[in-house]
Amino acid sequence: MDKRLAKIYKPNNVKFALNIWPPFWGAGIRILDISEDFRTVKVRLKLRWWNKNANRSQFGGSIFSMTDPIYSLMLMGILREQYYVWDKEASINFVKPGFSCLEAEFVVTQNMLDEIAEKTASGEKCFPEFVTHIKDDSGDVVATIQRKLYIRKKPKYRASENSEEEVITS
């Protein structure tokens, strides 16, 4: 994340931007909530005539799209400009058709953040995996999505070998 972007990268700004972003808006995807610390996000996919498939259920591409940038954007908000954060790979398992509006909740725990910090302190790459369950209005899971991210500390923020030796001997 660029330092200029970091200044305005706030939950309400991200929510507003995503809610007017054409791929989300056009698909019927809406960000309902982003917590102040970026650790939880709630997303809703409305069932509209234009996002139904031939079987009159939610189009799979829209279901997949509602999860696309969320974990990356959350971690950019948490880790700020010190890290590179990108989606690396993803898969979806369609469990049952979605004949209603769908919702998903995304959560980043302190344990996840501790693991990322530990693995990336000296510049190593980290590939955390996240699982999201998409639920219908009845609370039934209609799809499960697995995402793997790429996270790496930017060179100027990495712990150097010399500073680690100084800490150990001090």
Side-chain angles (χ1 to χ4, degrees):
M1 174 186 316
D2 183 271
K3 283 188 178 189
R4 292 171 291 174
L5 178 59
K7 291 178 184 179
I8 62 167
Y9 203 84
K10 309 274 188 247
N12 285 338
N13 295 343
V14 173
K15 179 181 170 182
F16 175 78
L18 287 174
N19 283 335
I20 64 167
W21 188 41
F24 269 22
W25 179 81
I29 299 166
R30 181 150 187 86
I31 305 298
L32 301 176
D33 185 59
I34 300 177
S35 65
E36 283 302 312
D37 59 2
F38 282 101
R39 292 190 187 202
T40 60
V41 173
K42 292 180 184 174
V43 178
R44 185 169 179 86
L45 172 61
K46 289 186 178 184
L47 182 61
R48 306 280 187 162
W49 66 267
W50 63 81
N51 64 5
K52 289 181 182 180
N53 62 24
N55 295 311
R56 310 295 294 158
S57 65
Q58 288 278 15
F59 173 61
S62 296
I63 295 171
F64 198 59
S65 293
M66 74 185 282
T67 69
D68 188 16
I70 306 299
Y71 277 114
S72 292
L73 295 174
M74 291 170 73
L75 286 164
M76 287 172 65
I78 295 167
L79 301 173
R80 310 305 290 171
E81 68 272 2
Q82 295 183 14
Y83 290 81
Y84 297 113
V85 180
W86 290 298
D87 273 319
K88 182 169 174 46
E89 62 185 62
S91 65
I92 187 168
N93 178 30
F94 295 104
V95 178
K96 66 180 243 180
F99 290 107
S100 67
C101 294
L102 305 178
E103 290 192 5
E105 185 171 4
F106 304 81
V107 178
V108 175
T109 66
Q110 187 60 47
N111 287 342
M112 293 173 184
L113 295 174
D114 292 343
E115 184 178 328
I116 290 167
E118 181 182 321
K119 289 184 176 180
T120 61
S122 297
E124 292 83 13
K125 300 170 190 171
C126 178
F127 304 104
E129 294 186 23
F130 300 90
V131 175
T132 305
H133 301 288
I134 310 299
K135 297 180 180 180
D136 63 16
D137 285 342
S138 301
D140 295 331
V141 174
V142 300
T144 301
I145 294 161
Q146 182 176 358
R147 290 203 166 273
K148 183 185 286 188
L149 271 58
Y150 167 100
I151 301 174
R152 191 172 192 186
K153 197 170 243 192
K154 292 179 180 177
K156 66 182 177 180
Y157 297 106
R158 295 177 190 165
S160 68
E161 293 176 20
N162 294 337
S163 64
E164 286 179 25
E165 290 174 8
E166 291 173 14
V167 172
I168 295 170
T169 58
S170 300

